[in-house]
Amino acid sequence: MSEFKLYRLIDIIGDKRLGIPPIIPVSRTAWYREIQRGNYPKPVMLTPRVPAWRSTDIDALLKKLFSGAEINTADGN
């Protein structure tokens, strides 16, 4: 079992300027659009203006995203 923690949005989508690699490489707009569609987890509000996401929710999302993913090889097989 992994350690529980909270992620801020910058931890999830990354920031090239700050050298933070993304966990899920999408834009801020795409992230919030998928939350509205019900595909991504809703945040936990730390304060009225500071959202965060549970690591367990992000782990579950990653499993969901990669469960149907196909692996492409260089030779197309």
Side-chain angles (χ1 to χ4, degrees), residues 3-61:
E3 180 181 327
F4 175 81
K5 66 184 208 176
L6 293 172
Y7 289 113
R8 298 287 307 275
L9 185 58
I10 196 170
D11 300 319
I12 299 169
I13 66 172
D15 189 317
K16 288 182 184 180
R17 291 174 297 137
L18 298 176
I20 300 171
I23 296 171
I24 301 173
V26 297
S27 69
R28 177 182 300 269
T29 302
W31 178 259
Y32 280 107
R33 181 179 55 237
E34 293 303 318
I35 291 171
Q36 290 298 316
R37 291 179 177 171
N39 295 325
Y40 288 1
K42 292 184 178 180
V44 174
M45 298 307 289
L46 301 179
T47 70
R49 296 183 59 160
V50 180
W53 286 263
R54 294 176 193 94
S55 58
T56 52
D57 291 343
I58 298 303
D59 292 343
L61 175 59

